[in-house]
Amino acid sequence: MRYFSVESLKGDEAGHWTGSYRARHRWHISGVECPRFGVWAGMDAFPSVDLSEVAEPALSEWKGPMSLPEYKRLTALVRPFVPPELPLYAGCTFGPMVGTAQGKFGPVTCWPSWEVVLREDAVELLKVEGLKGVIAVRMELKSRRSTMPALYELEARPLAKLHPDCIGEFKTPACDICGRPESFDLPPKRWLLRSTVPEGLDVFGVEGACLHVVSERFIETVQRLGPSDVRYQELPVG
Ligand SMILES: [Zn+2]
């Protein structure tokens, strides 16, 4: 199986579609101010995680970074509601995206570069074809056009890892004060570490990187619905 990351079009590439949206996830953990490294926040989005049982207003308020004690309190409160295989850090967002949308969307949209959105018929076709690991959460978008098809955010669980040889020197060490994991700049030439590629899944994410990885089969399936304004960049496995 070959794998590809879903990427936005480059600035000079013309797209087919006019669709755009403004939306935020229903819940989030703000950035944290670490005494050693300063303010930081990750970008992981887990729309399938439901925090409606957690009675904590701070999860739906969009304010600046939190103090370390407040961050530790919030993450402890949320952890029981997040599947154990998922990371839980500053900047994580949860639940459906809520907002507004306009224009016409292709089968797959990648905008901003770290979000991948599927049109309703793409989600259905992937399901009918029996693709595995497709977690698509319906976005709650208001639109002036009553005929706009529903849109779904594609969740990429960070199950795979980049090969250490492609990350090389671009690393920031983990922090034992705030619990920030080791981080790295996304290397321009990158490939997956074979032993971490989840077998049989057509969609997954990459630890420490904001990437939506899809299989060749995923691309062939959604392309049957016509063009999408995305690029697919092959991620070799080594
Ligand atoms: Zn720290």
Side-chain angles (χ1 to χ4, degrees):
M1 183 69 85
R2 294 167 69 196
Y3 296 99
F4 300 78
S5 59
V6 185
E7 311 278 339
S8 302
L9 293 183
K10 291 184 175 147
D12 56 352
E13 287 177 279
H16 289 83
W17 302 94
T18 58
S20 65
Y21 64 88
R22 291 173 65 92
R24 278 176 162 171
H25 293 96
R26 178 158 286 154
W27 303 287
H28 77 291
I29 302 222
S30 298
V32 60
E33 182 147 22
C34 167
R36 183 186 292 162
F37 285 114
V39 173
W40 67 273
M43 309 266 289
D44 286 305
F46 303 119
S48 69
V49 172
D50 180 5
L51 298 184
S52 52
E53 299 288 305
V54 189
E56 173 49 65
L59 294 171
S60 41
E61 286 164 8
W62 293 86
K63 290 198 291 197
M66 298 178 279
S67 68
L68 192 55
E70 171 67 354
Y71 171 62
K72 292 198 164 166
R73 182 187 75 81
L74 264 191
T75 47
L77 202 62
V78 165
R79 184 75 256 188
F81 298 88
V82 178
E85 66 272 25
L86 296 184
L88 177 55
Y89 297 123
C92 274
T93 52
F94 309 94
M97 274 201 266
V98 181
T100 58
Q102 59 179 344
K104 291 193 172 176
F105 286 81
V108 184
T109 303
C110 180
W111 184 91
S113 61
W114 57 89
E115 298 282 2
V116 174
V117 169
L118 302 177
R119 205 172 60 195
E120 191 165 35
D121 54 341
V123 177
E124 280 160 15
L125 187 60
L126 291 164
K127 202 181 291 175
V128 167
E129 294 295 331
L131 273 75
K132 299 279 186 297
V134 182
I135 304 174
V137 178
R138 188 173 173 144
M139 298 161 74
E140 298 180 9
L141 299 172
K142 288 201 179 97
S143 155
R144 270 180 292 184
R145 197 159 63 90
S146 58
T147 53
M148 178 178 276
L151 297 174
Y152 290 73
E153 181 184 358
L154 184 63
E155 181 169 301
R157 299 192 162 193
L159 303 171
K161 291 182 183 176
L162 289 185
H163 197 289
D165 288 351
C166 69
I167 297 172
E169 306 297 304
F170 312 104
K171 284 190 286 197
T172 307
C175 174
D176 54 12
I177 299 175
C178 64
R180 180 183 185 168
E182 184 183 81
S183 57
F184 53 85
D185 293 337
L186 200 56
K189 189 169 165 28
R190 46 194 183 249
W191 60 97
L192 296 170
L193 178 60
R194 184 178 304 278
S195 60
T196 65
V197 173
E199 207 174 323
L201 293 192
D202 293 288
V203 178
F204 52 88
V206 176
E207 197 179 287
C210 247
L211 294 174
H212 286 71
V213 182
V214 297
S215 65
E216 194 173 17
R217 195 158 71 120
F218 179 104
I219 298 171
E220 285 165 2
T221 305
V222 293
Q223 279 179 344
R224 282 154 50 190
L225 298 170
S228 294
D229 292 346
V230 297
R231 291 181 299 120
Y232 297 105
Q233 181 176 334
E234 180 152 17
L235 272 174
V237 177

